[in-house]
């Protein structure tokens, strides 16, 4: 089973009402507003450094993901399908049933010290956000970052969160001994769209302030301008407004990505769209009728505009931090 490393190594019950991965896991709920309706499964993972399949369209080979599922509740999240491999659904379960690998830091230190480990770059936040709200309680990233620092192992972090600034001390210490970089994800700055499709995330402008702070402290940080949502955030005016604010943050670079709708995310997104913007459903079926990705011509038009605006507003040049 692909997710067999999520099983507990110790004995557990056989209650068919709980997911396969959670047999014997500690199940918690927290009586605080930010975790209302959420369940956390604390498991002992068997491994933490994951090798990315060769067929994946990503520029890295190894990842660390201390969580599965995400409280950000982004409607479009491409990682939703992975919850189905754990006998959970890719909709509400992905948003509310979070797997916490409580031994992540211990495993990271052990695996980084293994003679078989080659010191390759490790990417974090590439599946679900390692700085989602749950990290404020579990604080797994501090141990992971300390292990990477002590091993002088290069790494990068992608996040929609602002909690990364809590670990600025560890990031700067690691940057003294190895290559460290970050990206924040900001696909748009429209407040109404943000509240509708990314309800559990910090305001996009707070994320851009986080980008500025990281750069001010010597941690190179760019912006993944993703996702750009067809017919919702892709007008020239909307794109330029977003790029202009990214430039003001002092981002080292910008990487635009148009929404892609893989299985799991596709159904959840189209269900939301049919409720909130029913007139757009036929247009989305036309764009995504043949697969997960919008037609190349559409992608090239949008990313070409972003590149033009990035040059106009000086993304990558030294700019004042955001006010």
């Amino acid at each position: 089973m692909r997710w067999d490393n999520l099983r507990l190594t110790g004995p557990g019950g056989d209650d068919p009402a709980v997911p396969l991965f959670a047999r014997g896991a500690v199940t918690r709920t927290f009586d605080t507003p930010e975790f209302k309706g959420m369940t956390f499964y604390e498991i002992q993972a068997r491994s933490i450094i994951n090798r990315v399949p060769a067929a994946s369209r990503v520029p890295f080979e190894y990842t660390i993901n201390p969580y599965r599922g995400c409280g950000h509740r982004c409607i479009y999240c491409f990682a939703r399908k992975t919850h189905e491999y754990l006998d959970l659904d890719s909709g509400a379960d992905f948003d509310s049933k979070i797997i916490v690998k409580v031994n992540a830091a211990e495993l990271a230190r052990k695996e980084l010290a293994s003679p078989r480990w080659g010191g390759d770059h490790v990417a974090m936040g590439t599946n679900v956000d390692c700085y989602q709200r749950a990290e404020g309680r579990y604080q797994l990233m501090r141990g992971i970052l300390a292990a990477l620092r002590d091993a002088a192992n290069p790494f990068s972090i992608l996040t929609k969160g602002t909690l990364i600034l809590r670990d600025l001390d560890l990031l700067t210490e690691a940057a003294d001994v190895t290559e460290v970089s970050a990206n924040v994800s900001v696909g748009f700055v429209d407040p109404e769209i943000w509240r509708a499709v990314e309800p559990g995330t910090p305001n996009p402008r707070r994320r851009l302030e986080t980008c500025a702070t990281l750069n001010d402290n010597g941690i190179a940080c760019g912006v993944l301008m993703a996702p750009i949502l067809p017919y919702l955030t892709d007008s020239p005016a909307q794109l330029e407004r977003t790029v202009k604010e990214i430039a003001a943050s002092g981002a080292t670079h910008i990487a635009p990505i148009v929404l892609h709708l893989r299985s799991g995310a596709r159904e959840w997104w189209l269900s939301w769209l049919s409720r909130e913007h029913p007139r757009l459903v036929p247009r989305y079926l036309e764009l995504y009728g043949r697969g997960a990705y919008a037609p190349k011509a559409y992608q090239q038009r949008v990313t070409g505009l972003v590149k033009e605006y990035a040059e106009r507003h000086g993304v990558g040049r030294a700019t004042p931090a955001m006010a």
Side-chain angles (χ1 to χ4, degrees), residues 14-245:
D14 292 313
D15 182 355
V18 299
L20 180 63
F21 74 87
R23 290 177 182 170
V26 175
T27 305
R28 296 190 192 278
T29 57
F30 300 112
D31 189 21
T32 53
E34 65 268 28
F35 295 134
K36 184 179 179 181
M38 299 181 72
T39 302
F40 297 89
Y41 298 94
E42 299 176 359
I43 70 160
Q44 297 282 333
R46 288 183 174 175
S47 63
I48 197 66
I49 300 179
N50 309 300
R51 188 163 194 166
V52 179
S56 299
R57 300 185 181 186
V58 292
F60 47 82
E61 192 173 356
Y62 295 95
T63 64
I64 289 178
N65 296 296
Y67 303 96
R68 302 211 74 86
C70 188
H72 284 341
R73 308 198 309 278
C74 300
I75 306 296
Y76 52 75
C77 183
F78 72 90
R80 288 183 174 276
K81 181 71 174 178
T82 63
H83 241 44
E84 296 180 9
Y85 303 140
L86 303 174
D87 295 345
L88 295 167
D89 72 55
S90 58
D93 283 354
F94 181 85
D95 297 338
S96 63
K97 295 183 177 180
I98 311 299
I99 295 88
V100 184
K101 303 175 191 178
V102 292
N103 61 335
E106 173 189 342
L107 284 177
R109 189 168 291 278
K110 178 181 177 181
E111 292 173 21
L112 290 167
S114 170
R116 292 175 294 178
W117 175 247
D120 297 89
H121 179 98
V122 173
M124 293 177 283
T126 58
N127 189 45
V128 301
D129 202 322
C130 52
Y131 281 108
Q132 60 179 284
R133 286 181 179 176
E135 171 60 15
R137 177 171 289 270
Y138 286 100
Q139 301 190 39
L140 300 181
M141 284 299 292
R142 287 197 65 80
I144 293 169
L145 292 177
L148 288 161
R149 175 202 62 195
D150 294 346
N153 200 99
F155 65 89
S156 60
I157 298 172
L158 170 64
T159 184
K160 277 190 175 77
T162 57
L163 189 56
I164 188 174
L165 295 182
R166 178 202 66 191
D167 296 337
L168 191 56
D169 58 333
L170 290 169
L171 293 171
T172 54
E173 289 169 8
D176 287 338
V177 296
T178 190
E179 181 182 342
V180 176
S181 62
N183 282 277
V184 296
S185 177
V186 178
F188 41 84
V189 293
D190 183 288
E192 292 186 7
I193 295 293
W194 159 60
R195 290 189 185 95
V197 303
E198 299 175 346
T201 65
N203 187 296
R205 289 185 174 87
R206 288 188 60 206
R207 294 178 232 163
L208 293 178
E209 290 169 0
T210 297
C211 176
T213 300
L214 289 169
N215 279 309
D216 287 345
N217 285 272
I219 306 299
C221 185
V223 171
L224 189 69
M225 188 173 164
I228 296 168
L229 304 173
Y231 311 119
L232 290 170
T233 66
D234 65 343
S235 73
Q238 288 170 307
L239 293 174
E240 184 166 17
R241 178 184 174 194
T242 301
V243 171
K244 185 177 180 180
E245 296 203 26

